[in-house]
Amino acid sequence: MNFLIELYNFLKIRKKFWLLPIIIILLIFGGMIILTQGTAVAPFIYTVF
């Protein structure tokens, strides 16, 4: 949890709020790959990339 607080403080202090959508999308794609690994859905997700 400390990492998230430090990340938020970095974004707030350095005015880098444009990085927030990139971070969110990377987390969503990473979560999809982890959750669907070894299932029948995995080949369809890998074709997106």
Side-chain angles (χ1 to χ4, degrees), residues 13-32:
I13 291 170
R14 304 263 193 234
K15 306 284 193 252
K16 303 270 187 196
F17 288 114
W18 57 270
L19 288 173
L20 201 57
I22 297 170
I23 294 170
I24 291 172
I25 295 216
L26 286 174
L27 288 174
I28 290 171
F29 282 139
M32 282 176 32

